[in-house]
Amino acid sequence: MFNILLRFIVLLSLAVLGYMLGNQYLGSPAGLITALITLGLPLVNSYVNLAKLQKYIIAGNSENIPSVSGKWEDIFFRLQRLARGMRQKVRQIEVQHERFIQALQASPNGIVMLDDRDQIEWCNAIAESYFGINYKRDVLQKINYLIRKPEFVTYLMQRNFNEPLLLEQMGPAANLTLMLQVFPFAENRSLLFSQDITDLRKTEAMRRDFVANVSHEMRTPLTVMTGFLETVLTLDLDPDQRTRYLKMMQIQAQRMQSLVEDLLTLANLEANILVPLMQPIDMPSVVALLKHDAEALSHGDHQIEFAVDQEHDILGNQKELLSAFSNLLSNAVHYTPQGRKIYVAWQVDKNLQGNFSVRDTGNGIASEHLPRLTERFYRIDRSRSRETGGTGLGLAIVKHIANRHQARLQIESTLGKGSTFLLQFPSERVVAI
Ligand code: ADP
């Protein structure tokens, strides 16, 4: 302010001096003209520079400073610095905003931002697919016009968002179960969060089924045993009858024992605690052991043939693999009628994959059962399975053991002709002896 006043005083003094000197040496109008020129020149200069400033601002290119001098040069440079600073800040905010959007897009959950009227302000791609929304098309649309499920409309209307809401049959194929929750934030805005819990629900259902199945499997032999016990306790039986009842009770106790053993094996396999998995396994002696057990189980009712590659072994866990192989073989014995043949083979193919197969000539399995055979407690013929002492867990155990050894379990079967169960091991698990 002082600076401007000083400049004004200097200018005024110069004009007065010009006026006096002009009058003194050149006559009366020359003084006035000199004074006017002295005062007018800075005005013209200011006007010209103002016009340049206006043009500079309108052009919007802060880097192109016009040619100016003195104070004006300083003004233009300061303006340029200000514009650069602002541009940098805007860029920083833009980058932050972009990262924020990228983070929300990377979220595995659906996110919809709603304004104070429940209109869509923004949503990520997952939310678009969950709710069939198209952000570009539906921006500022009310969310309850797009998610029309009555339970959601009520949830939104009641505005009690303490608990999440479950919506079934959602997503592009109407096969998802979503958990939704609204989280209010600043200025009556809210965030609609959605999570796909389809698998979680399936797992819960499977767990429930499993507990129900186990209880059922346990209850049957227990009921039978309780009945026998009552008979033995209440009736006056002769020693032979008593022994017969005790033997029947023993069979039921053995059934429960097998069930508990299989359940424990499955639990250990699922908890992944049966390690290590890279011991070299002597296949000829494993097959010899299988032969001994299978012949004992068959009581000479079947012809069982064995073919063994004597030059290759498997890297794995002996106990687990023995359990898998003998499960397949005991199934073949149990489900193949008397007098028919069973073929067991351990062979390494040209790709160095190891194939352990059990082929029976039993009644075969209808194709609709094949995909479900490895499910826990899945049986085609429940009573036949019980007769043979089966728990319904054998193939589930085989599948787990196969997975732990990166092996594939392939099942082929033709009704009336028989079935082949093949465990195919990757070449990394096959070693030459
Ligand atoms: P289980 O203890 O009942 O034998 P598994 O899990 O070993 O249970 O087998 C599941 C079902 O698959 C069996 O109940 C049976 O119906 C069928 N199955 C398994 N192996 C054979 C086979 N070799 N031939 C015909 N059916 C079979």
Side-chain angles (χ1 to χ4, degrees):
M1 190 65 196
F2 176 75
N3 228 351
I4 293 172
L5 200 68
L6 194 71
R7 287 179 124 230
F8 183 68
I9 291 168
V10 169
L11 197 66
L12 214 61
S13 312
L14 279 176
V16 170
L17 193 70
Y19 178 76
M20 284 181 354
L21 287 177
N23 268 357
Q24 175 122 19
Y25 296 108
L26 300 168
S28 113
L32 190 66
I33 292 169
T34 311
L36 282 175
I37 290 174
T38 312
L39 282 175
L41 268 181
L43 265 178
V44 170
N45 183 38
S46 292
Y47 181 78
V48 169
N49 284 336
L50 263 178
K52 284 182 180 173
L53 180 63
Q54 190 183 22
K55 206 169 153 195
Y56 175 75
I57 289 171
I58 290 170
N61 182 358
S62 60
E63 294 308 309
N64 255 354
I65 293 186
S67 67
V68 283
S69 58
K71 268 272 165 220
W72 283 94
E73 196 176 20
D74 184 45
I75 289 173
F76 272 99
F77 275 122
R78 278 171 196 270
L79 267 176
Q80 188 184 43
R81 215 180 313 147
L82 207 70
R84 275 185 191 160
M86 276 170 66
R87 252 205 320 269
Q88 206 173 338
K89 262 209 179 100
V90 168
R91 212 170 301 135
Q92 271 173 3
I93 292 172
E94 273 174 1
V95 169
Q96 270 174 1
H97 180 257
E98 192 52 36
R99 281 211 194 113
F100 181 67
I101 297 285
Q102 280 169 357
L104 292 179
Q105 285 290 16
S107 158
N109 302 306
I111 293 166
V112 185
M113 286 186 191
L114 301 173
D115 67 10
D116 54 346
R117 301 179 61 207
D118 291 336
Q119 297 176 146
I120 298 175
E121 277 192 326
W122 185 86
C123 69
N124 66 358
I126 301 246
E128 286 187 314
S129 88
Y130 283 172
F131 304 122
I133 302 176
N134 178 328
Y135 168 59
K136 284 196 180 124
R137 183 194 64 203
D138 298 326
V139 68
L140 288 181
Q141 283 283 332
K142 272 183 170 287
I143 189 72
N144 51 344
Y145 292 169
L146 299 165
I147 307 175
R148 291 184 157 273
K149 294 237 167 195
E151 47 282 41
F152 176 72
V153 177
T154 317
Y155 177 72
L156 204 64
M157 223 165 58
Q158 287 175 342
R159 309 217 77 75
N160 175 9
F161 303 131
N162 293 333
E163 294 295 325
L165 171 78
L166 287 196
L167 288 186
E168 307 268 0
Q169 296 172 345
M170 300 294 291
N175 59 351
L176 301 183
T177 303
L178 297 182
M179 186 176 77
L180 272 70
Q181 191 155 11
V182 172
F183 297 99
F185 68 100
E187 301 152 34
N188 293 329
R189 284 180 151 63
S190 48
L191 193 128
L192 171 63
F193 176 88
S194 46
Q195 192 182 4
D196 178 2
I197 57 159
T198 317
D199 288 344
L200 199 78
R201 295 265 287 185
K202 271 189 199 147
T203 314
E204 273 172 15
M206 268 167 62
R207 199 168 300 149
R208 271 198 305 274
D209 285 355
F210 182 63
V211 172
N213 276 326
V214 170
S215 316
H216 179 76
E217 295 290 332
M218 287 290 200
R219 202 176 51 199
T220 316
L222 262 179
T223 314
V224 179
M225 268 175 83
T226 319
F228 289 155
L229 265 176
E230 247 175 58
T231 314
V232 173
L233 284 173
T234 49
L235 296 185
D236 189 17
L237 301 169
D238 63 47
D240 275 359
Q241 282 173 317
R242 183 180 284 267
T243 312
R244 224 182 61 233
Y245 275 107
L246 286 176
K247 276 196 176 147
M248 287 193 288
M249 277 159 64
Q250 192 183 24
I251 292 172
Q252 298 305 320
Q254 271 162 358
R255 257 186 75 184
M256 285 206 295
Q257 196 176 354
S258 317
L259 186 66
V260 171
E261 272 165 15
D262 277 1
L263 282 170
L264 278 176
T265 308
L266 254 187
N268 282 340
L269 286 170
E270 280 177 354
N272 229 5
I273 57 172
L274 295 180
V275 278
L277 288 169
M278 290 306 266
Q279 304 160 347
I281 288 156
D282 177 3
M283 282 306 279
S285 35
V286 163
V287 175
L289 216 68
L290 291 172
K291 185 171 189 284
H292 173 268
D293 289 351
E295 279 167 357
L297 193 67
S298 160
H299 301 294
D301 287 349
H302 308 89
Q303 267 178 274
I304 312 176
E305 288 185 12
F306 290 84
V308 187
D309 178 328
Q310 302 280 346
E311 283 158 19
H312 292 93
D313 284 345
I314 301 184
L315 290 176
N317 180 298
Q318 170 133 358
K319 193 169 165 231
E320 288 182 34
L321 290 176
L322 200 59
S323 151
F325 298 156
S326 63
N327 253 309
L328 296 181
L329 197 46
S330 61
N331 274 352
V333 171
H334 286 144
Y335 301 108
T336 303
Q338 260 185 335
R340 300 219 194 142
K341 282 189 170 179
I342 294 170
Y343 302 89
V344 180
W346 161 243
Q347 274 150 353
V348 174
D349 62 24
K350 60 180 187 313
N351 300 321
L352 286 180
Q353 289 183 319
N355 300 297
F356 178 87
S357 64
V358 178
R359 179 162 72 86
D360 64 55
T361 49
N363 297 332
I365 304 163
S367 59
E368 71 262 26
H369 296 295
L370 293 180
R372 300 198 57 191
L373 281 191
T374 55
E375 284 176 23
R376 293 177 291 194
F377 297 115
Y378 189 84
R379 292 149 161 142
I380 299 163
D381 180 347
R382 211 161 261 274
S383 57
R384 173 90 191 96
S385 163
R386 290 231 173 84
E387 260 170 45
T388 62
T391 59
L393 295 173
L395 289 178
I397 292 174
V398 175
K399 177 84 179 291
H400 266 289
I401 294 173
N403 285 346
R404 275 167 57 78
H405 287 80
Q406 296 81 45
R408 279 197 311 154
L409 170 64
Q410 283 170 273
I411 309 172
E412 278 170 19
S413 191
T414 313
L415 271 180
K417 287 202 167 159
S419 318
T420 305
F421 289 74
L422 169 69
L423 277 171
Q424 193 165 56
F425 293 86
S427 56
E428 300 79 58
R429 288 203 170 265
V430 177
V431 277
I433 302 172

